[in-house]
Amino acid sequence: MSGKRNHWHGKKKINLALQGGGSHGAFTWGVLDQILQDDRLDIEAITGTSAGAMNAVVLVQGWLEDGRPGARRKLEDFWSSICEESALSMGQREFIDRFFGAWKFDNSPFQIWLDYLGSFASPYTLNPLNINPLRELLERTVDFEKVRACDEVKLFVAATNVHTGHIAIFERDKLTADHVMASACLPTVFQAVEIDGVPYWDGGYMGNPALFPLFYESATPDILIVQVNPVERRMTPRTPRDIQSRLNEITFNGALLSELRAIDFVNRLVDTGKLQRATGVIGRMMNRGRHAHEEYMRPFVHRIDGADEVAMFSASSKFDTRWAFLTHLRDIGRESAKNWMDTHYDSIGVESTLDLRIAFQ
């Protein structure tokens, strides 16, 4: 964001890549809150999936309203609304709880009934009217017409094409609530989101988050990944919900690890001189114009992941929407971002701070 209108004066530019992960997306809220407060980074582009996509569009909406302070307030308002369960019926609340979740309803009659039916019935049977309070919340929070018109930041939202199994990337100038809800559409909970006759599921299956749009569309080589899904868990899940949650984590990290392998491969070829490193605009588009110039962008990759502090929570804690838990994750995110900035700020624009080979091994 260049921010002439809203005084966005970061000293260095960076791209953000925001993972999805249910209520653990509140960790990302904390990271964004710290970056917005710190004022040293200028965000050129954001790619997000599921809860990461929601964080992205809410941030842009708030920034349009009142710059950095507006973005911080809007993010807090959004996550506060997630847990305002008193305004919802038990049935409505359960659909939010099954996306962001709430372990405290594990033993509720409604939850037991849903888990039982869900073992042999699809969302088309369980939720024939396709009720989704998350969409209503998103539409109340974000004016998508204004977001589409904002040329201060590039936005990329990932979803999975159900028919082809391919990743779909929706860009800012076309974004609607449908696109964001498609990115967050868990197929065991919600009916596929149809856009122009094509059904979509959660983008995490093919890109969580998708990094490649940043290579093609951004002039900034630095990518900061905000990762909420632990790559490792030193425990064996035993309950049906924990087993499914761990399967989702492994699947949702798979596409990211594949992209990190590809980046490491290209970087090594560039570093050894086997590929020509780009120095101009063409090069900052990851060889998009290679028919004219054989030049390759060399990205600098960084990561904030909360490490052991987030990994200590079980996978099923992604179903906890209590305000105390969300703000605890936010605080962990803020502290993680502060520590990362204090330690690695000088490396931005100079070198990667994430050892890619260790990250994907």
Side-chain angles (χ1 to χ4, degrees):
M1 301 178 183
S2 63
K4 292 180 180 179
R5 182 179 3 172
N6 286 316
H7 309 294
W8 187 282
H9 294 306
K11 296 178 182 178
K12 290 190 175 185
K13 286 189 176 182
I14 202 163
N15 297 315
L16 298 178
L18 310 181
Q19 267 200 337
S23 66
H24 286 193
F27 170 83
T28 302
W29 161 33
V31 171
L32 296 175
D33 189 66
Q34 180 62 34
I35 289 174
L36 290 164
Q37 183 183 41
D38 187 283
D39 201 28
R40 283 184 288 171
L41 289 180
D42 183 354
I43 303 168
E44 180 176 354
I46 308 175
T47 179
T49 298
S50 196
M54 293 184 184
N55 274 320
V57 296
V58 170
L59 182 153
V60 172
Q61 174 66 41
W63 179 81
L64 286 170
E65 294 175 2
D66 188 25
R68 290 175 182 265
R72 296 181 67 197
R73 284 195 302 270
K74 186 63 74 171
L75 283 165
E76 179 168 4
D77 290 346
F78 175 74
W79 284 97
S80 175
S81 297
I82 291 297
C83 73
E84 288 178 354
E85 299 167 353
S86 60
L88 300 173
S89 69
M90 175 64 81
Q92 286 178 310
R93 183 167 65 230
E94 204 66 46
F95 287 110
I96 284 185
D97 292 337
R98 295 189 73 194
F99 176 73
F100 290 110
W103 63 263
K104 61 183 177 179
F105 293 112
D106 279 355
N107 296 318
S108 73
F110 193 82
Q111 180 64 58
I112 293 171
W113 177 72
L114 275 180
D115 285 346
Y116 172 71
L117 289 180
S119 64
F120 61 85
S122 80
Y124 293 85
T125 302
L126 295 177
N127 185 15
L129 298 180
N130 204 20
I131 299 169
N132 192 338
L134 277 172
R135 180 191 175 93
E136 299 170 11
L137 171 59
L138 193 64
E139 289 180 327
R140 290 197 308 269
T141 304
V142 179
D143 184 335
F144 281 92
E145 183 176 357
K146 290 183 178 179
V147 168
R148 288 192 297 271
C150 172
D151 60 1
E152 301 293 333
V153 62
K154 300 177 179 71
L155 278 178
F156 307 98
V157 170
T160 302
N161 184 313
V162 178
H163 287 168
T164 66
H166 295 167
I167 191 170
I169 300 296
F170 305 120
E171 298 187 25
R172 186 210 66 239
D173 60 350
K174 296 181 176 63
L175 278 185
T176 67
D178 280 341
H179 296 100
V180 179
M181 294 315 301
S183 181
C185 180
L186 293 171
T188 57
V189 180
F190 302 115
Q191 297 181 23
V193 177
E194 290 204 4
I195 301 172
D196 297 328
V198 179
Y200 295 95
W201 283 339
D202 196 298
Y205 295 108
M206 298 305 296
N208 191 26
L211 304 183
F212 68 88
L214 302 175
F215 308 145
Y216 295 123
E217 302 294 344
S218 171
T220 298
D222 289 86
I223 300 170
L224 174 58
I225 301 169
V226 183
Q227 188 168 353
V228 297
N229 290 315
V231 175
E232 294 187 17
R233 281 193 185 274
R234 296 297 182 180
M235 59 174 289
T236 302
R238 299 187 183 278
T239 69
R241 177 170 288 186
D242 283 346
I243 291 170
Q244 185 60 54
S245 295
R246 184 56 183 153
L247 281 172
N248 285 340
E249 283 182 340
I250 293 170
T251 302
F252 285 2
N253 276 331
L256 174 62
L257 295 177
S258 294
E259 285 202 88
L260 293 180
R261 285 190 183 94
I263 293 171
D264 179 63
F265 178 68
V266 172
N267 282 354
R268 281 186 285 141
L269 293 177
V270 170
D271 291 344
T272 57
K274 295 178 181 178
L275 292 178
Q276 182 178 348
R277 184 169 183 171
T279 57
V281 174
I282 291 291
R284 291 179 180 273
M285 297 176 72
M286 193 60 173
N287 201 28
R288 194 181 198 185
R290 61 181 178 272
H291 59 283
H293 299 275
E294 291 291 339
E295 296 181 334
Y296 288 79
M297 174 183 179
R298 193 197 188 290
F300 301 130
V301 185
H302 317 275
R303 181 174 67 186
I304 298 175
D305 63 0
D308 296 337
E309 289 186 273
V310 174
M312 68 178 287
F313 299 115
S314 68
S316 62
S317 69
K318 293 176 183 177
F319 308 126
D320 187 347
T321 54
R322 295 171 303 160
W323 185 240
F325 183 64
L326 296 180
T327 54
H328 181 51
L329 286 171
R330 177 204 61 193
D331 293 344
I332 294 174
R334 283 182 54 85
E335 186 64 21
S336 298
K338 183 179 185 303
N339 291 339
W340 182 86
M341 289 278 284
D342 291 344
T343 304
H344 297 300
Y345 180 78
D346 290 342
S347 297
I348 299 172
V350 178
E351 61 184 357
S352 294
T353 59
L354 174 65
D355 188 321
L356 293 177
R357 212 154 310 170
I358 291 178
F360 64 69
Q361 281 181 348

